[in-house]
Amino acid sequence: MFVAGVLLPVPLAACGDSDSQDAEARAGAGEAGGEVRATPRQRIDSGGTLRWAVDAAPTTFNVFQPDSTDATKRVAAATLPALFILDKRGRPQIDEDFLREAEVTETEPRQTVVYKLNPKARWSDGRRLGAADFRAQWKALRGKNNAYWTARNAGYDRIHKITKGDDADEVKVVFAKPYADWRSLFTPLYPKQAMRSPKVFNDGVRTSLPAAAGPFRVVKAGKDRSRTVLKRNPRWWGEKAKLDRIVLTAVPRDERDKALAEGKVDVADVSASTARRIGSANGLGGPQRPDAAKGAKDAKEAKEARKREAELREARKREARERLGVSAARHLSKYEVRRALDPAYTQLTLNGASGPLADERVRRAVANAIDREELAEKALAGTGLSSEPLGSHLRMVNQDGYRDNSGVFGKADVDSAQSMLADAGWKPGGLGGSAADERAESAHDKDKGKDDGEKEKRADGGPAEPGTADSPEAGARSPHRAEAEASVVRLTAAQIARVVDKPLGLSVSATAQRGAILAQSAHSSLASARQAGSERKLSRAKAALETAERVQATARELRLLAGDPASAVRSKEGKPLALRFVLPGGKGTAQLRDTGKRIARMLNEVGIRTQLKEVPDDSYFKDHIATGDYDLALYSWPATAFPATEARPIFAKPQAASDGSLLVEQNYARVGTDRIDQLFEQAADELDDGRRRELMEKADQRIWAVAGSLPLYQRPQLVAAKRGLANVGAFGFTTPVYEDMGYRKS
């Protein structure tokens, strides 16, 4: 999936199926705070190397530059000070290795925050952390000097001055304007040498860090930057890092399978298919029965139940070795999949800059036509995680302060959607309104007699199609349905080309019957495969079900174009209501495309047609989303503990520039209101936590109302990790503790 982050979009893995025997038992823990195989330090060996797969090598070690990557952030977290870290609910907490205390000491005449640093905190060059580091970072990031290539300056632009406090370990920060999210600042904190000039900031920190102040330090970045080596920092004053080294290795998503099958990495984010392969190699395909002997009447029966389970697991392992290869299966069996709800969410974005979606009523109709619950269930099926649809733009389901503000949106209220479309002037049928269409219609009518004759000679010999006079349904139609049918006109070939991507061939009834039979057979095969625990049979059954779903989708298309008034193509002034739905076409985005196709089917039901267009991953965001070349699109946003500041650019009302262009910041839906902007501004100024939360709730409700974006579901986080690894895996919101990572004692 694509994540449109604060800096750049990053393709991430799709959802995976449950593949661990105790997945159900661990699901709750993983959901709430991640799954990392938490282990006390005394039970972890000292030494060893952790090979960590990342999507791409860090192009810079400066997280505040526009081309910063996830690998950049991982390096910073292991090597630089973090004044505040996040707990499992996304709440900022003081990191006592760097900070003893931090509080607002004054609000009048100006907000003042005093930081009391840990006196043991030292940079690797021996210098103490202090006000000079704070001051250098502030001056680089406050936005007054354009020579610094900064990605953002939120918060730093509100600081008035920074001075030393009453003693050597205190830093006093005075704000020119109140700033509620002050805890987001100075994490990470760079040494003053890295921020002292634009040249060092822009280029010097790309290949090295002048000093470190964490459990690890950067010792090597390969010439091609494919491997970045972090080594234990001998000057670290906190708990000594258990690992000797962490090696960040660039492994693209489509190469993860191979790297894991060859045992070349120790931990990696993985896709659904990879998660299934790992489960298969461990003999965990099919139904999970962690308590196979629980219902036994006596010890003998329990023993037999455990024996049968062990035999079934061995059979699955043998099948995996046969299918995957002995070497690959052997390597994959050394991993387990750890999971959590990712602090990121997938959303449907509706471009309101022009076209039908510029009308808020049409956007709201789209929102009402979509069943977000179904989309979430399909996307997270088999992950062992909650499939609750996300009800907030600003907080995740497992985040402190979360509240569902979606109201009626995304609950598949077809009647409301149709009513809104009618109110906006989009009526069922009526595509013959334009002169061009009339000419096309006239040309088409020349062959009408021939077409009607062919319709009488039904090749399949099946019953009359639904919606015709000979259909048994004809006598049972309501007056409303009959009135809608009367407005439906015959579509010309030119009109069909504007509203459908696939050619027409079969009749409605024959296609629907075939789809139903195929679906019934596929579901039967699926149940049989799950009962047998056969990965091969399961794969075949799923493929058969996909075929059945495609046939059923074709039947829906045919019924639509045959004039079914429940889903007739809506039109206005002779133009069909057709939206361009842009989706990424890469290997790692299959889940996103599946979600997009389901949305298209839902919109069909209210007469909104979608023209699905798959584009290359490398151009998806920059050439389509950022430029506004789309009507509908799917991508993900990272969650934040500081929505008043960091979520504001995503929903800020676009402003007209002096050259006539539109400044959208990160609001790619291109819709907003002055009131939403005011609520964000008030929340950013509000130091009272309760009052700030109320303001954010109001902002979220208004964001839902303008219907520029629809949060669908919180993404799953699936991480393959060597079984012996402790305190590493799917972290969720929790900030990783790098010094506690290591291999469990045998």
Side-chain angles (χ1 to χ4, degrees):
M1 295 183 183
F2 275 82
V3 168
V6 176
L7 307 180
L8 290 176
V10 182
L12 295 182
C15 309
D17 291 343
S18 176
D19 52 52
S20 176
Q21 187 181 24
D22 57 345
E24 293 179 6
R26 293 186 283 114
E31 219 171 293
E35 187 178 358
V36 299
R37 289 297 190 218
T39 306
R41 287 177 55 84
Q42 61 269 26
R43 293 178 54 192
I44 301 175
D45 274 329
S46 292
T49 297
L50 174 61
R51 300 169 300 172
W52 202 324
V54 294
D55 290 338
T59 55
T60 177
F61 292 140
N62 187 345
V63 301
F64 298 108
Q65 287 188 334
D67 57 349
S68 168
T69 65
D70 281 346
T72 304
K73 296 171 187 175
R74 206 170 293 287
V75 170
T79 63
L80 295 172
L83 303 188
F84 287 87
I85 55 178
L86 301 183
D87 66 10
K88 64 182 182 181
R89 298 292 303 280
R91 296 169 295 201
Q93 309 289 334
I94 283 177
D95 187 334
E96 295 181 356
D97 283 323
F98 302 102
L99 202 57
R100 291 181 300 167
E101 187 180 332
E103 61 180 352
V104 176
T105 59
E106 296 178 38
T107 57
E108 295 293 340
R110 289 190 169 103
Q111 176 186 346
T112 301
V113 177
V114 174
Y115 297 86
K116 296 182 179 180
L117 302 175
N118 185 335
K120 296 180 180 179
R122 294 284 193 281
W123 295 105
S124 53
D125 60 9
R127 184 175 58 83
R128 297 174 69 163
L129 273 66
D133 302 301
F134 282 68
R135 195 156 41 241
Q137 187 152 316
W138 162 51
K139 290 183 177 180
L141 300 179
R142 61 183 172 177
K144 288 188 176 181
N145 187 345
N146 292 332
Y148 286 93
W149 300 340
T150 61
R152 59 192 187 275
N153 56 29
Y156 292 98
D157 58 351
R158 295 195 178 206
I159 295 175
H160 173 63
K161 65 178 180 179
I162 297 177
T163 62
K164 290 182 179 180
D166 294 336
D167 59 51
D169 299 318
E170 286 188 2
V171 177
K172 183 181 292 186
V173 177
V174 180
F175 290 83
K177 188 177 182 181
Y179 187 53
D181 289 334
W182 59 271
R183 293 177 183 84
S184 67
L185 304 175
F186 307 109
T187 294
L189 177 66
Y190 281 81
K192 63 180 182 180
Q193 306 96 295
M195 302 277 168
R196 69 173 182 263
S197 71
K199 182 178 180 180
V200 176
F201 183 95
N202 299 337
D203 300 317
V205 190
R206 287 192 172 275
T207 56
S208 63
L209 288 172
F216 290 89
R217 59 189 177 94
V218 179
V219 295
K220 181 181 180 182
K223 291 183 179 180
D224 61 355
R225 306 301 296 274
S226 63
R227 294 173 73 253
T228 301
V229 180
L230 310 179
K231 192 173 182 180
R232 185 188 291 144
N233 181 5
R235 288 185 174 271
W236 172 244
W237 57 94
E239 296 279 6
K240 180 181 178 181
K242 288 291 185 177
L243 290 167
D244 287 328
R245 290 179 300 177
I246 296 176
V247 180
L248 302 179
T249 306
V251 183
R253 293 276 169 169
D254 57 358
E255 297 178 16
R256 294 278 167 92
D257 268 5
K258 183 179 179 181
L260 292 166
E262 295 176 355
K264 291 184 176 180
V265 294
D266 301 312
V267 61
D269 284 30
V270 296
S271 66
S273 58
T274 303
R276 285 194 293 270
R277 290 187 185 93
I278 293 172
S280 177
N282 284 285
L284 298 173
Q288 304 302 316
R289 295 189 294 271
D291 299 317
K294 187 174 182 180
K297 297 178 181 178
D298 52 36
K300 182 178 179 181
E301 187 175 330
K303 183 178 180 181
E304 288 297 321
R306 284 191 290 268
K307 181 180 178 181
R308 288 193 299 272
E309 183 67 28
E311 290 173 348
L312 180 57
R313 186 177 297 185
E314 286 304 315
R316 291 169 181 159
K317 288 182 179 180
R318 287 194 297 272
E319 185 176 335
R321 287 194 292 270
E322 180 180 333
R323 182 168 51 84
L324 301 172
V326 175
S327 177
R330 178 171 57 83
H331 280 299
L332 290 176
S333 67
K334 297 177 182 178
Y335 297 91
E336 63 181 5
V337 177
R338 301 172 185 177
R339 66 206 74 219
L341 286 174
D342 197 24
Y345 66 97
T346 296
Q347 73 170 26
L348 173 67
T349 303
L350 298 82
N351 185 355
S354 61
L357 294 178
D359 189 331
E360 184 176 300
R361 293 169 295 183
V362 178
R363 297 197 303 272
R364 291 167 70 92
V366 170
N368 274 272
I370 291 173
D371 187 341
R372 295 189 306 118
E373 185 172 328
E374 178 185 332
L375 295 175
E377 286 178 354
K378 294 288 187 181
L380 283 90
T383 63
L385 299 168
S386 169
S387 60
E388 177 184 348
L390 186 64
S392 172
H393 295 81
L394 305 178
R395 296 188 187 276
M396 302 298 96
V397 172
N398 58 333
Q399 188 174 3
D400 182 53
Y402 171 78
R403 182 177 178 181
D404 188 338
N405 293 311
S406 59
V408 300
F409 290 110
K411 292 181 170 58
D413 188 343
V414 174
D415 289 339
S416 292
Q418 291 177 332
S419 176
M420 291 176 185
L421 290 173
D423 185 55
W426 295 94
K427 308 295 184 182
L431 288 175
S434 69
D437 284 342
E438 289 176 2
R439 288 194 296 271
E441 185 76 36
S442 175
H444 181 80
D445 283 345
K446 292 179 180 179
D447 295 326
K448 187 176 187 300
K450 180 181 177 181
D451 291 343
D452 289 343
E454 289 180 351
K455 287 176 71 176
E456 291 175 4
K457 300 175 183 178
R458 292 286 300 279
D460 58 4
E465 296 180 4
T468 66
D470 297 328
S471 171
E473 298 175 11
R477 295 193 181 100
S478 66
H480 174 74
R481 184 179 178 91
E483 180 183 351
E485 279 189 343
S487 68
V488 178
V489 299
R490 181 182 178 84
L491 298 181
T492 67
Q495 291 164 346
I496 289 173
R498 286 159 58 182
V499 296
V500 71
D501 293 320
K502 55 176 68 67
L504 304 180
L506 301 175
S507 67
V508 176
S509 59
T511 307
Q513 289 169 7
R514 178 171 177 258
I517 293 170
L518 288 174
Q520 183 178 0
S521 174
H523 282 296
S524 176
S525 299
L526 200 60
S528 176
R530 285 172 174 162
Q531 183 64 31
S534 170
E535 185 73 20
R536 180 179 296 176
K537 290 181 179 179
L538 190 63
S539 178
R540 290 175 179 172
K542 287 182 177 179
L545 185 59
E546 289 178 359
T547 299
E549 289 175 345
R550 285 197 294 271
V551 174
Q552 290 174 323
T554 300
R556 287 192 292 269
E557 294 276 8
L558 291 168
R559 184 177 294 112
L560 177 67
L561 293 174
D564 183 353
S567 57
V569 181
R570 290 180 175 267
S571 65
K572 185 177 182 179
E573 299 175 354
K575 297 180 180 180
L577 180 47
L579 303 176
R580 298 166 299 159
F581 199 160
V582 180
L583 296 167
K587 293 181 179 179
T589 54
Q591 179 62 66
L592 213 58
R593 291 193 296 278
D594 288 345
T595 298
K597 291 171 184 176
R598 292 188 183 100
I599 290 172
R601 289 197 291 270
M602 293 171 183
L603 295 180
N604 281 346
E605 297 302 317
V606 297
I608 300 175
R609 304 314 310 279
T610 53
Q611 297 170 327
L612 297 175
K613 181 180 180 180
E614 295 181 12
V615 300
D617 287 355
D618 57 358
S619 70
Y620 178 67
F621 207 87
K622 66 178 181 179
D623 295 333
H624 294 276
I625 310 304
T627 62
D629 184 21
Y630 74 97
D631 291 317
L632 301 173
L634 288 171
Y635 52 85
S636 295
W637 282 113
T640 173
F642 309 102
T645 299
E646 295 180 355
R648 186 205 63 80
I650 303 173
F651 306 108
K653 182 180 177 181
Q655 302 294 323
S658 56
D659 61 358
S661 63
L662 198 64
L663 299 177
V664 301
E665 296 192 60
Q666 292 173 302
N667 184 354
Y668 303 119
R670 295 163 171 80
V671 294
T673 69
D674 292 333
R675 182 55 179 152
I676 291 174
D677 290 352
Q678 291 169 3
L679 288 166
F680 271 104
E681 186 67 22
Q682 291 171 15
D685 291 347
E686 182 56 64
L687 300 181
D688 180 87
D689 292 342
R691 175 58 180 157
R692 183 168 64 256
R693 182 171 296 181
E694 290 177 5
L695 292 167
M696 286 287 88
E697 293 291 336
K698 290 180 180 179
D700 188 37
Q701 291 164 5
R702 289 178 178 268
I703 294 168
W704 277 105
V706 298
S709 62
L710 299 178
L712 301 179
Y713 49 83
Q714 194 169 343
R715 297 178 57 259
Q717 193 178 75
L718 304 174
V719 179
K722 287 285 184 68
R723 292 186 175 279
L725 273 174
N727 301 320
V728 63
F731 297 101
F733 270 106
T734 310
T735 301
V737 182
Y738 287 84
E739 60 267 35
D740 288 352
M741 297 177 184
Y743 294 89
R744 290 193 297 270
K745 292 179 179 179
S746 55

